[in-house]
Amino acid sequence: MKLIFLDIDGVLVTSRHMVQSKKYFGHEFDPECVRNLQEVLEITEAKIVVSSSWREGRTLKQLQSIFEINGIKNVIGMTPIIEGAIRGKEIMEFLIHSLNSGWEVDRFVIIDDEEEMGELDAHLVETSFETGISKTVKDKVIHSLVHKTEV
Ligand SMILES: [Mg+2]
């Protein structure tokens, strides 16, 4: 299985498309970023684990419905919230738990606009808050999930 650990602000929500949405008490996803992510999912068949602060105060079901409104059905989990820990540590915990549960994670990438991944730095594809998942980011993510050997 391929996993994408996905941030939202600066990845799907961008500064160039700051539109408040009443539907889910947050900002709308930037349609161009959504299209680029959909293309990644079609090509790689990766599943999404949400690592964004959007998971705070929301259930997985609520997150899934926010993604479904945007035509994305591949959200299978969210990372645990660990008080005071960097995001990379929360992702590591999720990975350890998945492997212990018998999931076969063969490749993964982290898409985030902040570098706080610690020992998982090599898996980060960094975005900018202005443009989120751009075409360049899309190409890098596909390359990491399809062509690179890792884990
Ligand atoms: Mg962010």
Side-chain angles (χ1 to χ4, degrees), residues 29-141:
F29 289 2
D30 181 324
E32 195 178 319
C33 300
V34 170
R35 272 196 303 277
N36 284 331
L37 179 59
Q38 283 167 332
E39 203 177 312
V40 168
L41 297 173
E42 274 161 34
I43 292 170
T44 65
E45 296 181 340
K47 306 291 184 203
I48 293 170
V49 177
V50 177
S51 54
S52 161
S53 60
W54 280 48
R55 71 204 198 289
E56 291 166 18
R58 287 186 175 92
T59 62
L60 176 59
K61 224 176 152 67
Q62 287 169 328
L63 282 175
Q64 284 168 326
S65 77
I66 291 169
F67 277 84
E68 275 164 24
I69 290 169
N70 288 283
I72 296 166
K73 298 195 173 74
N74 307 36
V75 176
I76 59 158
M78 54 187 193
T79 56
I81 294 166
I82 304 172
E83 193 77 33
I86 58 164
R87 205 163 274 181
K89 167 85 177 138
E90 295 171 328
I91 293 172
M92 187 59 105
E93 280 302 308
F94 185 96
L95 280 168
I96 291 167
H97 186 261
S98 312
L99 297 172
N100 288 341
S101 314
W103 290 21
E104 287 183 25
V105 181
D106 35 36
R107 289 173 200 195
F108 67 93
V109 294
I110 301 166
I111 311 178
D112 206 301
D113 63 330
E114 278 167 45
E115 317 166 42
E116 43 183 15
M117 301 309 154
E119 51 192 312
L120 297 180
D121 264 353
H123 295 269
L124 174 67
V125 178
E126 202 178 344
T127 58
S128 83
F129 187 48
E130 201 200 331
T131 54
I133 304 180
S134 60
K135 189 186 173 301
T136 312
V137 168
K138 177 192 75 180
D139 291 342
K140 275 190 200 162
V141 171

